[in-house]
Amino acid sequence: MASESIKGKCEDCGSRSQSLLCSLKGEDLRLIDDAKFHQQFKTGQSLFYAGNPASGIYCIVSGTVKLEIHDGEGKTQIAQVYSAGGMIGYRALFTEEPYLSSAIASEPSEVCYIPKNTIMDLIQKKPDLAMKFLIQLSEDFRMMETRLHRISSNPAPERIAEALLFLRENFEDKNWTRKEIAEWAGTTTETVIRTLAQFEEEGLIEQKGRIISILKRDVLFKRAKISI
Amino acid sequence: MASESIKGKCEDCGSRSQSLLCSLKGEDLRLIDDAKFHQQFKTGQSLFYAGNPASGIYCIVSGTVKLEIHDGEGKTQIAQVYSAGGMIGYRALFTEEPYLSSAIASEPSEVCYIPKNTIMDLIQKKPDLAMKFLIQLSEDFRMMETRLHRISSNPAPERIAEALLFLRENFEDKNWTRKEIAEWAGTTTETVIRTLAQFEEEGLIEQKGRIISILKRDVLFKRAKISI
DNA sequence: CGTGTTATTGAAGTGTATCAAATTGCGTGG
DNA sequence: CCACGCAATTTGATACACTTCAATAACACG
């Protein structure tokens, strides 16, 4: 199980500035402060599983958490990834449905859990908070729509190039496994390995053991067919 | 170009009851009534194109409209489909980004265009309208996430079975072309045709010319691996 | 220092896309 | 109402990208 630690204050939280919720001030911030639960997760541990009822949201203080969708045959798709300042499961605030995906810490992570009703009360009080959620949701939606199209219309090398870029640009310090890259790109570990070898041969990247360095970012972008 | 017609009243609109927006009453409804533009589109005509700036939303009065994403090589993906009561482009209310997809009438359709600021004023006035949008967006998001996973982890026959069911259950009276089924399922027209022939051989469906009848709905569901 | 995950390589099979060409069916205009 | 034209459908042949399975090597972790 995840370990609970002594409550820190939102005021002192390093990722507060990036977070939609915790950028609140004064009285409002204190409400969250009082209601939240602070937890730590080791790599591979799960915040929640698909099918679990959703009763609150998770704000990431540090680390990286991935949302995985599993099918019956062991295939896993990484639907989304969040790091410090990110907010997980907020869609559940507005629907009664259980989680669609499982949340797994991809590296040691600190997380604050905030109960649903705390947020809902806040939204009642501050209607412009709803607008912030709308903006966030709209952006996430757009990204999901883009991925749907890319995954269904691009061959594996394009998707892998895109995955490399996306994962590196958004999570600079993290080293992703080939399995994770595959699960993000919607392909297999073996195909990722073979494609990375190809990219290395072309001088686009360099592999030192498990570490991947991007050498020609611009060429890789072209390869990923990212124009938008 | 689409033809504009004489303004009807929202009060008299047949699809009002199903629509998030038009289920408003009294004064609020009248605001929309005054601001809206009523248009008609023939099959294949476009409401807007990907890349166009978004300045309002479209409410479908009758007919069917599909959102298509195109890549550079002529491949098309149907991202979403809406019929009477549906609302298109509402995500644009909350972001400044241009449309990601093009909206095409899939059969003769009546549409009401409502300018962005009319909606935004209403949300200011009625904060719970924001909540309705949040709910709608959350549901659409969930569906998109589900599709992403399905498209990347299921082989073509599963996806086609799923497409058949989805398109039939949600748009009963409409006959979809094999091309449209392919564009929804993320495959090619030829594969759809061959797979339909297979389904027919198995007695799951029946094809009379361009019309597809579903004979064994439950078996088709199993085939589509829909459990959730 | 073992043990399990991650990475790598090879061989084989196949699902699907692609291309091409013929046919059917539908809507439109004469 | 019929004929024309175009789009939708169909079928076949071919190619190959990718998955799958299997077995080994390298690495991280307790």
Side-chain angles (χ1 to χ4, degrees), chain B residues 4-21:
Chain B
E4 280 201 34
S5 76
I6 303 143
K7 285 192 183 188
K9 293 234 174 178
C10 288
E11 276 188 36
D12 309 323
C13 176
S15 68
R16 185 162 81 95
S17 59
Q18 304 157 53
S19 169
L20 186 161
L21 264 185

Side-chain angles (χ1 to χ4, degrees), chain B residues 37-109:
Chain B
F37 295 91
H38 186 258
Q39 293 177 303
Q40 295 197 278
F41 294 89
K42 293 177 193 161
T43 304
Q45 277 189 325
S46 155
L47 282 67
F48 55 76
Y49 291 102
N52 285 168
S55 58
I57 64 177
Y58 296 83
C59 292
I60 310 205
V61 179
S62 71
T64 312
V65 178
K66 53 188 176 182
L67 292 186
E68 296 183 345
I69 308 183
H70 304 272
D71 62 6
E73 287 114 33
K75 278 184 206 164
T76 299
Q77 167 91 36
I78 298 182
Q80 288 177 82
V81 187
Y82 296 95
S83 58
M87 192 174 53
I88 292 181
Y90 63 95
R91 219 167 69 242
L93 293 172
F94 316 112
T95 65
E96 293 300 327
E97 309 193 62
Y99 292 122
L100 184 64
S101 49
S102 303
I104 315 282
S106 181
E107 55 185 358
S109 303

Side-chain angles (χ1 to χ4, degrees), chain A residues 67 69-71 73 75-80 82 90-95 97-101 120 123-124 127 130-131 133-135 137-149 151-155 186 225 228, chain B residues 67 69-71 73 75-80 82 90-95 97-101 120 123-124 127 130-131 133-135 137-149 151-155 186 225 228:
Chain A
L67 292 186
I69 307 183
H70 304 270
D71 61 6
E73 287 115 34
K75 278 184 206 164
T76 299
Q77 168 90 34
I78 297 183
Q80 288 176 82
Y82 296 95
Y90 64 94
R91 220 166 70 242
L93 293 172
F94 317 113
T95 66
E97 310 193 61
Y99 292 122
L100 185 62
S101 47
M120 296 316 265
I123 291 181
Q124 284 294 328
M131 192 54 67
F133 275 106
L134 276 168
I135 292 168
L137 200 45
S138 297
E139 283 168 3
D140 286 3
F141 193 108
R142 186 188 181 82
M143 180 169 162
M144 195 57 69
E145 216 169 30
T146 306
R147 281 191 71 198
L148 176 72
H149 179 235
I151 260 188
S152 80
S153 73
N154 285 340
K225 291 192 184 150
I228 306 174
Chain B
L67 292 186
I69 308 183
H70 304 272
D71 62 6
E73 287 114 33
K75 278 184 206 164
T76 299
Q77 167 91 36
I78 298 182
Q80 288 177 82
Y82 296 95
Y90 63 95
R91 219 167 69 242
L93 293 172
F94 316 112
T95 65
E97 309 193 62
Y99 292 122
L100 184 64
S101 49
M120 295 315 266
I123 291 180
Q124 284 294 329
M131 192 55 67
F133 275 105
L134 276 168
I135 292 168
L137 200 45
S138 297
E139 283 167 4
D140 286 4
F141 194 109
R142 185 187 181 83
M143 179 169 162
M144 195 57 71
E145 219 170 27
T146 305
R147 283 191 70 199
L148 176 71
H149 179 235
I151 260 187
S152 80
S153 73
N154 285 341
K225 291 193 186 151
I228 306 175

Side-chain angles (χ1 to χ4, degrees), chain A residues 2 16 19 29 31 38 56 75 99 112 115 122 124 152 160 165 174 179 195 208 213:
Chain A
R16 185 162 82 94
S19 170
L29 186 60
L31 276 176
H38 186 259
K75 278 184 206 164
Y99 292 122
C112 281
L122 259 173
Q124 284 294 328
S152 80
I160 291 165
L165 288 166
K174 172 145 177 52
K179 185 154 169 275
T195 304
K208 279 182 193 161
S213 318

